[in-house]
Amino acid sequence: MAKLTLTTFMTLDGVMQAPGGPDEDRTDGFAYGGWSVPFVDEEFGRFMDGVFGRVDAFLLGRRTYEIFAAYWPHVTDENDPVASRLNALPKYVVSRTLDRAAWNNSTVIGGDLAEEVRRLKQGPGEEIQVHGSARLAQSLIALGLVDELNLLVYPVFLGKGRRLFPEGGSPTAFELTGHRTTSTGVAIHTYRAAGPARFGTFALDE
């Protein structure tokens, strides 16, 4: 059974909207797009190369799919670890508005999200990856379908923008399975789902 992993860039206050450019996503008047770009370094690149090196398929929201489809097909270097996989591997687009997805090896899925994802996880391969895709990511987290999180936390505060973690869903515990910090201060944490959240108290015994 394949695991579903989510890799996302987020600010100190949890914003994940438009990390890659000013026009990436201006929804709700968001004017701070491109906030991740000043922090790119070699360690970041090595980590992302490793993530893309183990992917078997992608699950993307419509907006992220369209951003990727407008850029990555034009990167034709077969040795590029990101472009080579995005252009060749299966891509599943969650959308109720798209009729078709023209990018190579792309399929639109618009049925019940939980059922569709469980079906994909029963298919071939070991890892299905979600990148960006804010609304989709929130839905997957709320449904308890994410097996592993790669959170890249950037040392910047924005004060507004779409945040990763949604209201609702089942409280879930995660186990830290990896961590590193880049030269520019990006803290990279990998967490694996570890069952229901547990609760206690610091109250003194009477």
Side-chain angles (χ1 to χ4, degrees):
M1 183 174 180
K3 67 178 179 180
L4 183 69
T5 67
L6 169 63
T7 299
T8 192
F9 309 157
M10 58 191 295
T11 66
L12 289 175
D13 53 332
V15 173
M16 65 176 297
Q17 187 171 354
D23 295 319
E24 191 173 80
D25 181 2
R26 292 186 178 271
T27 303
D28 298 324
F30 188 70
Y32 304 135
W35 48 264
S36 76
V37 177
F39 300 97
V40 172
D41 66 356
E42 291 184 1
E43 178 65 18
F44 164 82
R46 283 193 293 270
F47 176 80
M48 293 305 297
D49 288 350
V51 169
F52 280 90
R54 58 179 181 265
V55 63
D56 296 292
F58 298 95
L59 179 66
L60 303 170
R62 179 188 61 82
R63 182 181 292 274
T64 296
Y65 173 81
E66 290 176 341
I67 291 170
F68 282 9
Y71 179 82
W72 288 108
H74 302 289
V75 182
T76 57
D77 181 1
E78 295 182 356
N79 295 317
D80 186 298
V82 178
S84 61
R85 287 159 178 83
L86 279 171
N87 286 323
L89 291 174
K91 293 166 284 291
Y92 300 97
V93 190
V94 178
S95 175
R96 298 187 184 278
T97 58
L98 283 181
D99 295 322
R100 59 186 295 270
W103 190 8
N104 177 54
N105 216 355
S106 296
T107 303
V108 177
I109 57 176
D112 180 87
L113 180 61
E115 290 182 4
E116 294 281 7
V117 171
R118 292 189 183 105
R119 179 181 61 80
L120 291 175
K121 292 173 74 171
Q122 293 292 337
E126 298 183 4
E127 184 168 341
I128 302 169
Q129 294 184 357
V130 181
H131 293 269
S133 307
R135 291 186 177 87
L136 173 61
Q138 290 178 335
S139 297
L140 293 170
I141 291 170
L143 289 167
L145 295 171
V146 177
D147 301 301
E148 188 172 276
L149 294 168
N150 291 312
L151 302 182
L152 287 78
V153 183
Y154 286 71
V156 61
F157 171 90
L158 297 181
K160 66 174 297 185
R162 185 177 299 113
R163 289 166 171 78
L164 173 61
F165 294 104
E167 293 289 335
S170 300
T172 305
F174 285 82
E175 174 189 2
L176 181 67
T177 60
H179 61 90
R180 67 183 77 179
T181 304
T182 72
S183 67
T184 60
V186 179
I188 303 174
H189 305 288
T190 298
Y191 295 96
R192 180 171 55 212
R198 296 180 295 173
F199 306 92
T201 179
F202 288 112
L204 297 175
D205 295 332
E206 296 184 359

